Amino acid sequence: MRILITGGAGFLGSHLCDKLINQGHELICLDNFFTGRKQNIAHLLGHPRFELARHDVIDPFKFEVDQIYNLACPASPPHYQYNPIKTVKTSVIGAVNCLGLAKRVKARVFQASTSEVYGDPAVHPQPESYWGNVNPIGRRSCYDEGKRCAETLFFDYHRENKVDIRIVRIFNTYGPRMNPDDGRVVSNFIVQALRGEDLTVYGDGQQTRSFCYVDDLIDGFVRLMNQTGTVGPVNLGNPGEFTMLQLAELVLKQVGGNSKIVHQELPADDPKQRRPDITLAKKYLGGWEPRVPLEEGLKHTIAYFKTQV
Ligand code: NAD
Ligand code: UDP
């Protein structure tokens, strides 16, 4: 197949490019390099089945493709809050552009949505049927509401125009090729520990997240895209749940050194808990479930960051 991946030079996008190239597909990677990096896909440049387009998803684009994976959007809070209006445009206009293209060329189109659609969840763990608890006017809203609106657009194009959609709700995912300056918790802690700096735990560190290793997630992406049992949304993530203090201690144990834990102010609207209910993924994606435990995934990620910092 010929496949378009928006955000293909980012952390997740570049791993998806690797997986799809290895399956024999022809790829077009579209990225504006806001948070993505050429080094993530440098090994693919020059490959006869790989093409790179420097382009912004908010400007229309036309490619003859069979499938579209829409990943373009900054994912880390400091980056998506840097220019919040642009973040909304990227999610919403980017979705319209992908859906319009999918409609015209009859391509199947995949949306990288997020556990942030559940906001600060009052239901735990979160099943896809939960509508969420999202602040519409806060600092995280540009991302959360942008992604929620993109889901709305996907379903309206599906109902109105029979566009063949798939939606994944991604829970916190980590691994090699995260940008050292990304600002998300796993990369922050590892980079801080490797540099001998103190680990910055926001708030009391009792808030929880569930961390999925990138290989498990990308396997789930491709399974979701290529099955016909459900259009989604389907949660993908690792149900193992950790407090940020536990994560900091795990990183310190693996990296060693003299770094300590320091507490900083908790950002506004920071969700208190998050864990995916992955019943639907197991049912529709051929028994998919994460295979890489946090300790092992951290080992691979630390080895990567040792080459970067
Ligand atoms: P990332 O920041 O590494 O990748 C995003 C990519 O999109 C980058 O290459 C960036 O340059 C590109 N991009 C941003 N705005 C663009 C625009 N206007 N036009 C073209 N390209 C643009 O983040 P990631 O972790 O790889 O996330 C990929 C997708 O998955 C995002 O849509 C994100 O919202 C979603 N997601 C990720 C996670 C996670 O834990 N990694 C969780 C939930 C959702
Ligand atoms: N966090 C932290 N220290 C950091 C970065 C993040 O304690 O240096 C916390 C943050 O407040 C949140 C959790 O880690 O509770 C996950 O943050 P991240 O930005 O990785 O993702 P998200 O909040 O979007 O899940």
Side-chain angles (χ1 to χ4, degrees):
M1 284 186 281
R2 187 178 298 155
I3 303 178
L4 170 66
I5 303 165
T6 79
F11 161 49
L12 296 180
S14 63
H15 285 278
L16 181 60
C17 286
D18 283 346
K19 175 113 182 166
L20 296 174
I21 276 280
N22 289 337
Q23 291 184 336
H25 301 294
E26 208 174 294
L27 305 190
I28 301 168
C29 166
L30 180 155
D31 207 297
N32 72 349
F33 293 103
F34 176 47
T35 51
R37 294 176 299 165
K38 242 191 206 153
Q39 73 170 73
N40 288 344
I41 46 150
H43 57 290
L44 295 173
L45 297 173
H47 190 290
R49 285 185 280 103
F50 184 84
E51 226 175 305
L52 175 65
R54 180 186 272 269
H55 189 85
D56 198 302
V57 277
I58 74 171
D59 299 322
F61 42 88
K62 284 185 185 164
F63 299 105
E64 298 297 323
V65 289
D66 306 295
Q67 292 188 339
I68 304 166
Y69 286 86
N70 183 33
L71 273 62
C73 187
S76 120
H79 286 126
Y80 71 64
Q81 290 169 16
Y82 170 75
N83 184 346
I85 297 165
K86 173 72 189 224
T87 300
V88 175
K89 286 185 185 171
T90 295
S91 271
V92 175
I93 303 174
V96 170
N97 285 336
C98 287
L99 287 159
L101 177 63
K103 180 181 165 189
R104 192 173 70 80
V105 301
K106 298 193 170 30
R108 182 172 291 174
V109 58
F110 174 106
Q111 169 65 3
S113 190
T114 169
S115 53
E116 292 283 330
V117 302
Y118 303 122
D120 188 10
V123 170
H124 194 72
Q126 294 81 54
E128 292 82 348
S129 54
Y130 177 49
W131 290 353
N133 177 33
V134 175
N135 176 356
I137 56 169
R139 295 286 291 160
R140 296 176 82 101
S141 312
C142 58
Y143 184 76
D144 301 7
E145 297 290 15
K147 289 284 187 180
R148 286 171 67 98
C149 184
E151 287 199 12
T152 307
L153 284 162
F154 267 68
F155 268 86
D156 285 331
Y157 269 79
H158 178 58
R159 282 185 291 253
E160 299 294 314
N161 299 119
K162 308 276 175 286
V163 173
D164 190 13
I165 63 163
R166 301 288 183 275
I167 297 177
V168 61
R169 289 183 180 154
I170 306 164
F171 284 65
N172 299 61
T173 300
Y174 69 97
R177 298 193 194 151
M178 292 186 92
N179 192 327
D181 302 319
D182 182 87
R184 281 176 279 183
V185 68
V186 175
S187 47
N188 268 13
F189 285 176
I190 293 175
V191 168
Q192 288 163 345
L194 288 173
R195 289 183 176 149
E197 298 166 0
D198 292 339
L199 273 57
T200 53
V201 169
Y202 300 161
D204 62 7
Q206 293 304 323
Q207 69 271 36
T208 67
R209 294 292 186 273
S210 302
F211 296 104
C212 185
Y213 188 65
V214 61
D215 290 357
D216 285 330
L217 184 83
I218 299 300
D219 174 41
F221 274 18
V222 176
R223 288 185 192 220
L224 173 60
M225 184 62 142
N226 294 299
Q227 57 74 48
T228 51
T230 181
V231 299
V234 173
N235 289 338
L236 288 182
N238 190 323
E241 186 179 357
F242 296 84
T243 67
M244 295 312 99
L245 270 180
Q246 285 173 324
L247 176 69
E249 276 153 16
L250 272 174
V251 169
L252 285 178
K253 194 169 113 199
Q254 288 202 19
V255 176
N258 300 320
S259 302
K260 299 188 178 35
I261 290 172
V262 293
H263 291 268
Q264 292 189 355
E265 197 182 337
L266 187 69
D269 295 334
D270 200 278
K272 285 183 264 317
Q273 53 181 1
R274 187 181 288 154
R275 172 153 62 100
D277 178 332
I278 58 167
T279 311
L280 274 189
K282 283 185 181 163
K283 176 175 169 193
Y284 287 109
L285 310 188
W288 176 87
E289 61 183 322
R291 300 189 181 289
V292 183
L294 183 57
E295 288 82 350
E296 187 189 330
L298 284 178
K299 218 175 281 172
H300 301 310
T301 312
I302 290 166
Y304 169 77
F305 278 112
K306 279 187 177 162
T307 68
Q308 303 291 305
V309 301

